[in-house]
Amino acid sequence: MGFATALSGLKAASTNLQVTGNNIANSQTTGFKESRAEFADVYASSLGGVSKTQPGSGVKVTEVAQQFNQGNIESTQNSLDLAISGNGFFVLADNVNLPDPNNPNAPVDPSVPSAYSRNGAFQLDSSGNVVNDKGQYLLTFAANGTTAEEGFSVGVFRPLTIDTAQGLPNATENINMKLNLNGAADLPAITFDPTEPLSYNNTTSVTTYDVQGNAHIASTYYVKTGANAWDAYLFLDDYGVTVGTPAVVGPPATAAVDSVIAGAAMVGPPVVAGTPNTPGTPIAMVFDSTGKLSTVDGASTKVDFVNVDLAGIDPNLSVDKMNFDLDFFGTTQFATPFSVNGLDQDGLPAGNLTGIDVDDTGVVFARYSNGGSKALGQVALARFQSNQSLAKLGDTSWAKTSSSGAPIYGAAGDNNFGGIQSSALEGSNVDLSEQLVKLIIAQQAYQANSQTITTEKTLIQTILNA
């Protein structure tokens, strides 16, 4: 009888309608991957094998296979919205190990992934953790330091946590000055005095910072002393600074080396003048006959200041001593007007969190109002040998199975992983026009199998009425 065959066709067509309907229903679901119903014919077997005249026993659904082709990427206004362009899944965890608030420096066990998703719509929870709408944590590779250059520990998972506390200040460690001192300038006629402009040729200033983020104005005055020779006087907040005294005799063990000038050992810390506008010992700058800087204080182009005691500047300051170098590399003495071709320092005051940036390799940076940044981690991605063998968990997420193979973890752009785009989401890969056509075909298949049942019924009724 053909009832069983037609019934199998009805079931297969019904499944196809359900799959197509599910695709249409999720045409706007972020990160959704469409499915297709795959069929196989059915034959009754016998001891002698399938007969050449066997009409077949119908059809069966062998698999509802998801299609992991790329969905369209749409821009958003949320920097925590992430989209993967290419291969890979976001790595999620239902539960994570967080630092102990009473002992933040204690080791933290890595978190264990529990799901994988293409839905990159993330947000912050009440504790500052980045989660999806189910509360699952986005996992990242732990940062080895505070900069991307220090790298990340691939395979060591940490939840991405956004710390809204102030950005830590950075003490100035390097002051770089690239100048041109006018070789044709006259020698000042009077003894150097920072309050008397006729006693020096030129001056520069730059704001530096101590370890607490307090600002200190570092001013340098330049006095021509002869042919190809200049003196530079350093002031911090109008207090002259004299570097330590060179160690001339005795083995190194006999002197505490607190200051170094261009690699030469110095005894004692730099001396800060007791009164404002009192100059310290000048730094001798010597140029060669072509106008290029030869030496600073008889050595290289850099002067190192170690253990500068700020209490001599402000007794109300209780802060670690400053340690910085003053580098004149690239400074010249040409017969052209004085110019500042480069003047910078690497210190920062305290700053507030202003935003989060994610680059195309998945590195997450916290940006602060002081101009600083901190690498928080690198978004972890996973890929599988067989995406279609992943277990469907719903909520556009999947879990590994024995058939999918173990997850392979890596970073965006590496080892066959796609890139990450911030402030964007991957839309559903469902083509509505295609699904509507499939819907019509599935409907026709369902009606045709229904007609087969109707025809079988008519034949049986005819036989019964004969």
Side-chain angles (χ1 to χ4, degrees):
M1 302 297 290
F3 283 111
T5 301
L7 185 59
S8 71
L10 281 177
K11 290 181 179 179
S14 177
T15 299
N16 196 15
L17 284 169
Q18 288 179 328
V19 171
T20 305
N22 186 60
N23 289 339
I24 294 173
N26 285 282
S27 61
Q28 302 301 312
T29 301
T30 301
F32 178 79
K33 298 302 178 185
E34 69 174 358
S35 300
R36 72 182 183 196
E38 298 180 352
F39 308 100
D41 53 0
V42 179
Y43 285 87
S45 59
S46 64
L47 292 177
V50 178
S51 171
K52 291 188 292 184
T53 59
Q54 180 102 11
S57 301
V59 65
K60 65 179 179 180
V61 177
T62 58
E63 184 178 2
V64 177
Q66 291 200 286
Q67 308 302 302
F68 286 89
N69 52 298
Q70 180 75 41
N72 293 327
I73 294 180
E74 302 173 355
S75 298
T76 69
Q77 301 300 316
N78 180 7
S79 60
L80 290 179
D81 285 342
L82 305 176
I84 301 174
S85 178
N87 196 17
F89 295 85
F90 296 112
V91 183
L92 307 174
D94 294 320
N95 299 290
V96 295
N97 299 310
L98 298 173
D100 183 355
N102 298 320
N103 188 11
N105 295 322
V108 179
D109 292 334
S111 301
V112 178
S114 57
Y116 306 89
S117 179
R118 296 280 295 195
N119 184 353
F122 297 107
Q123 57 192 320
L124 293 179
D125 66 8
S126 58
S127 299
N129 299 303
V130 177
V131 298
N132 63 9
D133 54 5
K134 286 182 61 182
Q136 293 175 308
Y137 298 86
L138 174 65
L139 296 185
T140 61
F141 298 131
N144 296 331
T146 59
T147 64
E149 290 73 18
E150 294 176 87
F152 304 88
S153 298
V154 176
V156 180
F157 297 108
R158 294 281 188 270
L160 179 58
T161 303
I162 309 301
D163 186 3
T164 57
Q166 281 192 322
L168 296 178
N170 289 331
T172 297
E173 295 181 353
N174 301 282
I175 302 175
N176 300 307
M177 295 185 178
K178 188 177 181 180
L179 317 168
N180 179 70
L181 301 174
N182 189 352
D186 296 328
L187 277 63
I190 59 177
T191 303
F192 171 68
D193 180 351
T195 64
E196 177 51 68
L198 296 179
S199 68
Y200 57 88
N201 297 86
N202 310 103
T203 182
T204 58
S205 295
V206 63
T207 302
T208 62
Y209 300 93
D210 61 32
V211 71
Q212 292 183 4
N214 299 303
H216 303 282
I217 303 300
S219 301
T220 311
Y221 296 82
Y222 305 95
V223 180
K224 188 174 183 180
T225 59
N228 300 332
W230 294 72
D231 281 346
Y233 294 85
L234 176 66
F235 287 77
L236 279 179
D237 295 337
D238 296 329
Y239 285 78
V241 181
T242 299
V243 295
T245 305
V248 179
V249 295
T254 64
V257 179
D258 293 316
S259 179
V260 177
I261 299 182
M266 311 301 292
V267 176
V271 178
V272 179
T275 57
N277 298 318
T278 300
T281 302
I283 302 168
M285 303 174 65
V286 177
F287 295 84
D288 63 21
S289 58
T290 67
K292 297 179 180 179
L293 183 61
S294 296
T295 61
V296 175
D297 272 347
S300 70
T301 61
K302 182 171 67 174
V303 181
D304 292 333
F305 292 87
V306 180
N307 291 341
V308 179
D309 190 354
L310 300 176
I313 297 175
D314 185 352
N316 295 319
L317 281 179
S318 178
V319 62
D320 289 349
K321 298 175 182 179
M322 290 185 69
N323 302 280
F324 60 90
D325 65 61
L326 185 60
D327 196 345
F328 293 97
F329 180 78
T331 293
T332 56
Q333 181 201 243
F334 298 142
T336 57
F338 171 79
S339 62
V340 179
N341 301 318
L343 179 58
D344 62 80
Q345 59 84 41
D346 57 0
L348 292 173
N352 296 315
L353 181 69
T354 58
I356 300 297
D357 292 337
V358 184
D359 67 14
D360 56 3
T361 64
V363 178
V364 184
F365 295 94
R367 304 291 183 186
Y368 297 95
S369 58
N370 59 7
S373 64
K374 178 182 178 181
L376 303 179
Q378 186 173 33
V379 175
L381 296 182
R383 60 182 176 86
F384 298 85
Q385 295 293 338
S386 174
N387 289 341
Q388 289 189 343
S389 298
L390 292 169
K392 306 168 189 175
L393 301 179
D395 294 301
T396 58
S397 61
W398 295 266
K400 66 178 181 180
T401 65
S402 58
S403 299
S404 68
I408 302 170
Y409 297 109
D414 294 338
N415 195 20
N416 199 29
F417 285 100
I420 288 181
Q421 184 173 338
S422 178
S423 300
L425 292 173
E426 182 189 8
S428 171
N429 66 349
V430 172
D431 184 333
L432 269 178
S433 299
E434 179 184 358
Q435 296 302 313
L436 290 174
V437 172
K438 288 183 176 181
L439 191 65
I440 295 173
I441 295 173
Q443 178 189 16
Q444 290 177 336
Y446 191 92
Q447 290 174 334
N449 282 283
S450 299
Q451 188 62 39
T452 299
I453 293 177
T454 300
T455 302
E456 288 284 345
K457 176 184 176 183
T458 301
L459 290 174
I460 291 175
Q461 189 67 40
T462 300
I463 293 172
L464 292 175
N465 293 334

